[in-house]
Amino acid sequence: MKKEVLIILGSPNSPKGELTTISKQRLNYCKKIFKEDMMVLCTGGNGAHFNIAEKAHAYYTKNYLIKKGISDTFFLDFALSQNTVEDAVKSKEILLKTDNISSLRIITSDYHLERVKLIFNEILSDYKMKFVGLKSNLTKEEHTALINHEHKAIEGIIKNGLYY
């Protein structure tokens, strides 16, 4: 039976591995839509700008979903990435070793969606994909700062190409 793979993109966590509201929002969405004909792929390794905790971000996200009731048997290997391009590249490496994939659903936040589509549509072009950009509950200032960051990152990709 072919399975949809839910790819949950990482976001910062605390030095103690505590997940942010943004992470929990993405994970709660995953839990809400999860069915037993799906697999889950958690992204996020370690990196100074988003996770200086002892373990990879994906470790904390998987444990969160297991506590919410998704069995360990539904998880693929971790994509131990440090950025969005690595999310796609490392996910592809895992997906290429996985049989019977029907489609991918990439779960992120609204402010990140445009760049995610740009990157994943290039790197994972052989797959049927759906993208979910969850509305973030950030302050207007936080949201604006993240949108500005995303626009600069997209401009860089358009100007310099996507390197992976």
Side-chain angles (χ1 to χ4, degrees):
M1 169 189 267
K2 294 212 175 243
K3 295 183 181 254
E4 180 177 18
V5 177
L6 305 175
I7 301 176
I8 306 150
L9 300 189
S11 65
N13 54 258
S14 80
K16 293 181 180 178
E18 298 158 335
L19 297 171
T20 62
T21 302
I22 290 170
S23 287
K24 288 179 183 176
Q25 183 183 34
R26 295 174 188 182
L27 295 165
N28 290 336
Y29 174 82
C30 175
K31 170 59 177 142
K32 179 181 171 185
I33 65 163
F34 179 80
K35 296 179 185 133
E36 292 196 1
D37 63 347
M38 297 175 167
M39 297 296 293
V40 178
L41 195 163
C42 298
T43 72
N46 296 82
H49 66 285
F50 75 97
N51 178 22
I52 58 169
E54 180 182 334
K55 298 186 191 268
H57 177 74
Y59 169 86
Y60 300 113
T61 60
K62 178 181 177 181
N63 281 347
Y64 182 90
L65 289 171
I66 288 172
K67 287 178 185 171
K68 293 284 186 179
I70 298 178
S71 170
D72 184 57
T73 59
F74 293 102
F75 289 86
L76 296 173
D77 291 341
F78 295 150
L80 298 175
S81 51
Q82 294 188 31
N83 56 58
T84 308
V85 173
E86 284 190 4
D87 286 340
V89 169
K90 292 180 181 287
S91 292
K92 184 175 184 177
E93 292 169 5
I94 294 163
L95 296 169
L96 288 171
K97 297 185 258 177
T98 306
D99 294 326
N100 299 319
I101 297 172
S102 63
S103 62
L104 310 176
R105 190 176 318 195
I106 295 88
I107 302 167
T108 190
S109 299
D110 54 357
Y111 61 85
H112 193 220
L113 187 60
E114 186 178 352
R115 182 160 57 114
V116 168
K117 286 181 178 180
L118 181 67
I119 293 166
F120 275 73
N121 280 327
E122 178 172 328
I123 296 172
L124 292 164
S125 61
D126 293 338
Y127 294 90
K128 179 181 169 188
M129 290 180 277
K130 295 177 195 169
F131 296 90
V132 178
L134 300 168
K135 183 171 175 15
S136 51
N137 296 325
L138 301 167
T139 66
K140 182 174 176 148
E141 293 79 20
E142 291 170 324
H143 194 264
T144 299
L146 287 169
I147 289 287
N148 290 338
H149 168 78
E150 291 298 317
H151 284 281
K152 285 180 187 174
I154 290 167
E155 286 173 15
I157 291 169
I158 291 168
K159 179 180 177 184
N160 302 313
L162 192 56
Y163 296 98
Y164 55 97

